[in-house]
Amino acid sequence: MQAKRVFITGASSGLGAALARQYASEGATLGLVARRGEVLHELVASLPNAERHRVYALDVNDSAALATAAADFIAVAQGIDIVIANAGISRGTLTEYAEDLQVFEQIFATNVTATVATFAPFIATMKAQAAAGRTDARLVGIGSVAGIRGLPGAGAYSASKAAVMTYCESLRVELKKDGIKVVTIAPGYIDTPMTQVNDYAMPFLLPGEKFAERAVATIDAGCSYRVIPWQMGVVAKVLRLLPNWLYDFLFANAPRKKRDL
């Protein structure tokens, strides 16, 4: 089997780094994107076949830089199999504070618009590969259980992840006829630097490496949507079914991520 060619944003830590390690262990060739170039180089040095992998130190909000990185990776790897738009940020927000508007804009730019900018440069190549008989390409969006219902104090993050999941659904249907699969993964609580700052209980907390194993299996299978871990998938289904009055009663005083003061 030909080694996979995988492009991952937000790869310097957390879910992105865990996915990079998992794919590298399977012999993939990686294109890794993050702002912290020195951390990416340290990660690559620790991976099998380090000489195969490419590092792109850039901000995912710079769509031109993303497009340049995508073109370089396609040229070097001679194609593309999997693109994972993993880069994302989470901060506590409250609409009543005028200064939080800028935080909302930043979260939407990084979590939503950058997902579009990550996928866009690869679609033409994926279509050409599919026309030539390779219909195993995957575009992978990282949503969140937090996007299934709006969480208090996390309006920006919840709304951005809901947007990512709905966008990926639209894209999945849009590209179906072209032989490109779009996979949406909604993590629950995963042990990463993003969650380690939370000072409240996180049910079914999953180590990053376990998440990566399950995520890679999900991507390989071409699943349209999956919550990881599965226990949070059950919780997600229950949350979807709750009437608004009951959801509001249960979550009005739920623990929330602190604002940056």
Side-chain angles (χ1 to χ4, degrees), residues 117-135:
T118 299
F119 291 161
F122 290 98
I123 291 175
T125 298
M126 287 184 167
K127 284 184 175 182
Q129 290 174 176
R134 288 204 60 168
T135 57

mmCIF file of all heavy atoms in Angstrom, residues 117-135:
data_model
loop_
_atom_site.group_PDB
_atom_site.id
_atom_site.type_symbol
_atom_site.label_atom_id
_atom_site.label_comp_id
_atom_site.label_asym_id
_atom_site.label_seq_id
_atom_site.Cartn_x
_atom_site.Cartn_y
_atom_site.Cartn_z
ATOM 1 N N ALA A 117 -9.871 27.808 4.366
ATOM 2 C CA ALA A 117 -8.610 28.151 3.700
ATOM 3 C C ALA A 117 -7.641 26.974 3.673
ATOM 4 O O ALA A 117 -6.805 26.873 2.759
ATOM 5 C CB ALA A 117 -7.961 29.340 4.401
ATOM 6 N N THR A 118 -7.748 26.071 4.641
ATOM 7 C CA THR A 118 -6.904 24.876 4.658
ATOM 8 C C THR A 118 -7.321 23.893 3.576
ATOM 9 O O THR A 118 -6.482 23.324 2.866
ATOM 10 C CB THR A 118 -6.971 24.197 6.036
ATOM 11 O OG1 THR A 118 -6.479 25.100 7.036
ATOM 12 C CG2 THR A 118 -6.144 22.917 6.068
ATOM 13 N N PHE A 119 -8.615 23.685 3.422
ATOM 14 C CA PHE A 119 -9.102 22.718 2.439
ATOM 15 C C PHE A 119 -8.958 23.201 0.997
ATOM 16 O O PHE A 119 -8.629 22.416 0.097
ATOM 17 C CB PHE A 119 -10.585 22.415 2.692
ATOM 18 C CG PHE A 119 -10.877 21.634 3.944
ATOM 19 C CD1 PHE A 119 -12.163 21.629 4.482
ATOM 20 C CD2 PHE A 119 -9.905 20.889 4.579
ATOM 21 C CE1 PHE A 119 -12.461 20.905 5.619
ATOM 22 C CE2 PHE A 119 -10.182 20.155 5.735
ATOM 23 C CZ PHE A 119 -11.476 20.173 6.252
ATOM 24 N N ALA A 120 -9.245 24.474 0.779
ATOM 25 C CA ALA A 120 -9.410 24.994 -0.580
ATOM 26 C C ALA A 120 -8.256 24.660 -1.534
ATOM 27 O O ALA A 120 -8.505 24.244 -2.679
ATOM 28 C CB ALA A 120 -9.643 26.508 -0.536
ATOM 29 N N PRO A 121 -6.982 24.820 -1.133
ATOM 30 C CA PRO A 121 -5.896 24.605 -2.105
ATOM 31 C C PRO A 121 -5.701 23.156 -2.528
ATOM 32 O O PRO A 121 -4.953 22.887 -3.476
ATOM 33 C CB PRO A 121 -4.649 25.117 -1.356
ATOM 34 C CG PRO A 121 -5.155 25.908 -0.202
ATOM 35 C CD PRO A 121 -6.464 25.313 0.157
ATOM 36 N N PHE A 122 -6.351 22.232 -1.825
ATOM 37 C CA PHE A 122 -6.134 20.809 -2.116
ATOM 38 C C PHE A 122 -7.224 20.195 -2.991
ATOM 39 O O PHE A 122 -7.052 19.099 -3.525
ATOM 40 C CB PHE A 122 -6.059 20.021 -0.804
ATOM 41 C CG PHE A 122 -4.827 20.291 0.007
ATOM 42 C CD1 PHE A 122 -4.857 21.180 1.069
ATOM 43 C CD2 PHE A 122 -3.627 19.660 -0.299
ATOM 44 C CE1 PHE A 122 -3.734 21.442 1.818
ATOM 45 C CE2 PHE A 122 -2.487 19.909 0.452
ATOM 46 C CZ PHE A 122 -2.530 20.807 1.513
ATOM 47 N N ILE A 123 -8.351 20.867 -3.135
ATOM 48 C CA ILE A 123 -9.504 20.231 -3.772
ATOM 49 C C ILE A 123 -9.257 19.922 -5.239
ATOM 50 O O ILE A 123 -9.606 18.831 -5.735
ATOM 51 C CB ILE A 123 -10.769 21.077 -3.560
ATOM 52 C CG1 ILE A 123 -11.164 21.038 -2.074
ATOM 53 C CG2 ILE A 123 -11.913 20.578 -4.430
ATOM 54 C CD1 ILE A 123 -12.337 21.919 -1.702
ATOM 55 N N ALA A 124 -8.638 20.834 -5.978
ATOM 56 C CA ALA A 124 -8.378 20.574 -7.402
ATOM 57 C C ALA A 124 -7.515 19.333 -7.590
ATOM 58 O O ALA A 124 -7.782 18.496 -8.474
ATOM 59 C CB ALA A 124 -7.721 21.792 -8.043
ATOM 60 N N THR A 125 -6.483 19.188 -6.761
ATOM 61 C CA THR A 125 -5.615 18.010 -6.855
ATOM 62 C C THR A 125 -6.373 16.745 -6.492
ATOM 63 O O THR A 125 -6.230 15.703 -7.155
ATOM 64 C CB THR A 125 -4.385 18.178 -5.944
ATOM 65 O OG1 THR A 125 -3.623 19.302 -6.389
ATOM 66 C CG2 THR A 125 -3.503 16.932 -5.970
ATOM 67 N N MET A 126 -7.190 16.813 -5.461
ATOM 68 C CA MET A 126 -7.984 15.642 -5.067
ATOM 69 C C MET A 126 -8.953 15.238 -6.164
ATOM 70 O O MET A 126 -9.156 14.053 -6.437
ATOM 71 C CB MET A 126 -8.734 15.933 -3.770
ATOM 72 C CG MET A 126 -7.863 15.960 -2.535
ATOM 73 S SD MET A 126 -8.831 16.204 -1.017
ATOM 74 C CE MET A 126 -7.599 15.788 0.233
ATOM 75 N N LYS A 127 -9.567 16.222 -6.830
ATOM 76 C CA LYS A 127 -10.479 15.913 -7.942
ATOM 77 C C LYS A 127 -9.727 15.243 -9.094
ATOM 78 O O LYS A 127 -10.221 14.281 -9.704
ATOM 79 C CB LYS A 127 -11.161 17.190 -8.428
ATOM 80 C CG LYS A 127 -12.268 17.699 -7.522
ATOM 81 C CD LYS A 127 -12.961 18.913 -8.145
ATOM 82 C CE LYS A 127 -14.143 19.367 -7.305
ATOM 83 N NZ LYS A 127 -14.854 20.524 -7.930
ATOM 84 N N ALA A 128 -8.539 15.747 -9.391
ATOM 85 C CA ALA A 128 -7.743 15.160 -10.471
ATOM 86 C C ALA A 128 -7.342 13.731 -10.127
ATOM 87 O O ALA A 128 -7.373 12.839 -10.995
ATOM 88 C CB ALA A 128 -6.508 16.017 -10.728
ATOM 89 N N GLN A 129 -6.978 13.487 -8.881
ATOM 90 C CA GLN A 129 -6.621 12.133 -8.454
ATOM 91 C C GLN A 129 -7.822 11.201 -8.562
ATOM 92 O O GLN A 129 -7.699 10.055 -9.008
ATOM 93 C CB GLN A 129 -6.106 12.149 -7.009
ATOM 94 C CG GLN A 129 -4.751 12.811 -6.855
ATOM 95 C CD GLN A 129 -4.306 12.947 -5.399
ATOM 96 O OE1 GLN A 129 -3.197 13.406 -5.131
ATOM 97 N NE2 GLN A 129 -5.151 12.583 -4.458
ATOM 98 N N ALA A 130 -9.002 11.702 -8.151
ATOM 99 C CA ALA A 130 -10.212 10.886 -8.226
ATOM 100 C C ALA A 130 -10.553 10.554 -9.676
ATOM 101 O O ALA A 130 -10.942 9.422 -10.000
ATOM 102 C CB ALA A 130 -11.384 11.614 -7.556
ATOM 103 N N ALA A 131 -10.384 11.518 -10.564
ATOM 104 C CA ALA A 131 -10.659 11.282 -11.984
ATOM 105 C C ALA A 131 -9.718 10.226 -12.564
ATOM 106 O O ALA A 131 -10.068 9.508 -13.513
ATOM 107 C CB ALA A 131 -10.523 12.589 -12.760
ATOM 108 N N ALA A 132 -8.508 10.126 -11.955
ATOM 109 C CA ALA A 132 -7.528 9.134 -12.410
ATOM 110 C C ALA A 132 -7.701 7.792 -11.706
ATOM 111 O O ALA A 132 -6.919 6.866 -11.924
ATOM 112 C CB ALA A 132 -6.116 9.662 -12.169
ATOM 113 N N GLY A 133 -8.722 7.696 -10.824
ATOM 114 C CA GLY A 133 -9.024 6.417 -10.183
ATOM 115 C C GLY A 133 -8.728 6.318 -8.708
ATOM 116 O O GLY A 133 -9.063 5.314 -8.070
ATOM 117 N N ARG A 134 -8.116 7.362 -8.112
ATOM 118 C CA ARG A 134 -7.832 7.321 -6.671
ATOM 119 C C ARG A 134 -8.914 8.088 -5.936
ATOM 120 O O ARG A 134 -8.923 9.316 -5.898
ATOM 121 C CB ARG A 134 -6.463 7.940 -6.366
ATOM 122 C CG ARG A 134 -5.308 7.070 -6.801
ATOM 123 C CD ARG A 134 -4.063 7.387 -6.002
ATOM 124 N NE ARG A 134 -4.262 7.169 -4.563
ATOM 125 C CZ ARG A 134 -3.264 7.153 -3.670
ATOM 126 N NH1 ARG A 134 -2.021 7.336 -4.080
ATOM 127 N NH2 ARG A 134 -3.512 6.962 -2.403
ATOM 128 N N THR A 135 -9.833 7.344 -5.337
ATOM 129 C CA THR A 135 -10.978 7.966 -4.663
ATOM 130 C C THR A 135 -10.898 7.793 -3.150
ATOM 131 O O THR A 135 -11.905 7.596 -2.484
ATOM 132 C CB THR A 135 -12.293 7.365 -5.181
ATOM 133 O OG1 THR A 135 -12.275 5.940 -4.976
ATOM 134 C CG2 THR A 135 -12.486 7.670 -6.650
#
